[in-house]
């Protein structure tokens, strides 16, 4: 997350190749050293404010009974919807083919080019696949992915993949069933974090039967380098620009900014949650997206 004072501004994009060239040469006696340059480009972000409110009529408040709290319930509902919205915006910006530097597709057999055997098949090998594309990232950017995001079906398939089970089955000295944890997978795949993309949302309007589903495609995965801390000249697959100049630390946070006011003519109390941020892929080369890697 990058805190920003303004709703919109520019940021610098540096050419990765310049940092890996070798323009160094011998300096001649009495002469000047070789001068090297690079031409940085710019891109922009735009933080827009998202908000949602709910009202508590005096009749609702008067009709509540302990331990029910209509105020707590409505603020919790507003916050939950804001978190769902934030996840959906992130998914639209970061999750899918054509967004990252490398797209890989799962196939049942005979992989060619940017393809891998599907990870739910006995012939599939998630570890070998991730290792191969870590090498691609390293060769083309000088960095390896440090975060592996798994769609829900992908996470289950990896846990049950024979090659993964074979690698971890000797880790338990008591010969007891081994629980495959995200920390264990992170160690196996040599990344800092494994994240399960398991958030769901209801796409149906109010009053219509629920239509529940995963926010991201559960059969896909993303390997990406994400900087631990934002900084100038620090590459990262993506950044979230948070308009702290408007909402402080709650511009992009798990604790939303909550406002409250009284509307006497409506005989109601109103509650509102707000966030202001923009998600941007700033270095597409630092990501590998795996689609349809499980059936």
């Amino acid at each position: 997350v990058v805190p920003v004072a303004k709703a919109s501004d520019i940021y610098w994009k540096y050419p990765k190749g310049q940092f890996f060239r070798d323009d160094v040469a011998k300096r001649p006696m009495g002469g000047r050293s070789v001068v090297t340059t690079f031409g940085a480009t710019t891109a922009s972000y735009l933080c827009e404010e998202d908000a949602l409110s709910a009202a508590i009529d005096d009749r609702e408040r008067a009709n509540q009974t302990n331990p029910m709290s209509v105020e707590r319930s409505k603020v919790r509902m507003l916050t939950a919807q804001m978190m769902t919205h934030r996840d959906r915006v992130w998914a639209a910006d970061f999750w899918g083919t054509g967004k990252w530097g490398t797209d890989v597709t799962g196939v049942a057999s005979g992989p060619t080019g940017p393809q891998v055997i599907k990870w739910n098949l006995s012939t599939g090998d998630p570890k070998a696949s991730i290792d191969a594309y870590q090498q691609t990232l390293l060769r083309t950017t000088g960095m390896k992915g440090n975060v592996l995001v798994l769609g829900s079906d992908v996470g289950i398939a990896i846990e049950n993949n024979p090659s993964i089970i074979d690698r971890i089955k000797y880790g338990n000295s008591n010969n007891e069933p081994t629980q495959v944890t995200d920390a264990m997978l992170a160690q196996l795949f040599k990344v800092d974090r494994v994240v399960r993309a398991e958030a769901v949302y209801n796409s149906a309007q109010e009053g219509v039967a629920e239509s529940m589903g995963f926010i991201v495609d559960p059969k896909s995965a993303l390997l990406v380098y994400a900087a631990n801390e934002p900084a100038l000249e620090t590459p990262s697959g993506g950044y979230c620009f948070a308009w702290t100049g408007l909402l402080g630390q709650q511009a992009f946070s798990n604790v939303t900014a909550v406002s409250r006011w009284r509307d006497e003519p409506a005989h109601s109390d109103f509650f509102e949650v707000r966030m202001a941020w923009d998600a941007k892929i700033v270095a597409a080369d630092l990501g590998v997206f795996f689609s349809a890697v499980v059936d």
Side-chain angles (χ1 to χ4, degrees):
V1 179
V2 182
V4 292
K6 303 297 182 182
S8 180
D9 212 331
I10 63 171
Y11 59 90
W12 292 100
K13 299 188 73 173
Y14 298 96
K16 67 175 183 184
Q18 184 64 25
F19 290 86
F20 293 97
R21 288 169 58 186
D22 181 3
D23 292 333
V24 179
K26 301 294 184 184
R27 185 183 67 84
M29 184 69 69
R32 296 181 177 180
S33 61
V34 172
V35 177
T36 187
T37 61
F38 65 86
T41 59
T42 60
S44 62
Y45 68 85
L46 174 61
C47 296
E48 296 183 296
E49 183 180 353
D50 297 320
L52 184 67
S53 60
I56 300 177
D57 191 281
D58 287 348
R59 286 179 291 187
E60 287 183 274
R61 194 181 293 278
N63 198 46
Q64 71 179 356
T65 56
N66 290 329
M68 177 186 177
S69 170
V70 66
E71 181 175 312
R72 182 181 65 241
S73 296
K74 291 206 173 183
V75 171
R76 182 176 180 181
M77 179 268 293
L78 291 173
T79 301
Q81 287 205 26
M82 182 62 81
M83 294 298 103
T84 297
H85 176 73
R86 193 180 74 171
D87 284 348
R88 292 188 66 209
V89 171
W90 180 91
D93 290 333
F94 290 93
W95 199 265
T97 59
K99 298 178 182 296
W100 296 98
T102 303
D103 284 324
V104 182
T105 305
V107 294
S109 62
T112 60
Q115 296 178 337
V116 297
I117 298 293
K118 293 186 178 186
W119 297 341
N120 62 299
L121 302 179
S122 60
T123 51
D125 190 338
K127 177 69 166 64
S129 299
I130 296 299
D131 285 349
Y133 284 96
Q134 284 284 32
Q135 285 296 98
T136 297
L137 286 178
L138 182 61
R139 184 177 64 254
T140 57
T141 70
M143 308 185 78
K144 290 184 176 182
N146 64 344
V147 178
L148 180 61
V149 189
L150 305 176
S152 183
D153 291 355
V154 175
I156 293 172
I158 286 178
E159 288 182 4
N160 292 280
N161 181 277
S163 68
I164 298 298
I165 294 174
D166 192 57
R167 285 181 169 94
I168 65 175
K169 66 183 180 181
Y170 298 111
N172 190 333
S173 59
N174 296 323
N175 294 319
E176 297 174 350
T178 300
Q179 180 180 359
V180 183
T181 65
D182 291 347
M184 185 182 297
L185 291 178
Q187 185 177 22
L188 181 65
F189 290 119
K190 298 179 182 178
V191 294
D192 295 340
R193 286 184 294 149
V194 167
V195 180
R196 307 278 184 135
E198 297 177 331
V200 299
Y201 85 107
N202 173 24
S203 60
Q205 297 297 313
E206 185 176 1
V208 180
E210 288 96 349
S211 180
M212 303 291 290
F214 291 109
I215 290 177
V216 305
D217 175 12
K219 301 182 185 300
S220 299
L222 172 65
L223 174 67
V224 65
Y225 176 78
N228 293 319
E229 296 290 340
L232 292 173
E233 299 155 6
T234 298
S236 183
Y239 277 133
C240 290
F241 297 90
W243 191 3
T244 53
L246 176 68
L247 296 175
Q249 295 303 314
Q250 293 174 316
F252 183 84
S253 168
N254 290 332
V255 181
T256 60
V258 181
S259 302
R260 172 178 179 168
W261 68 91
R262 176 72 179 174
D263 186 345
E264 284 297 345
H267 305 289
S268 299
D269 296 315
F270 280 80
F271 295 84
E272 181 183 58
V273 293
R274 304 160 64 202
M275 294 184 107
W277 62 288
D278 187 21
K280 300 281 290 188
I281 291 178
V282 297
D285 288 353
L286 291 177
V288 179
F289 189 76
F290 299 85
S291 61
V293 287
V294 302
D295 289 320

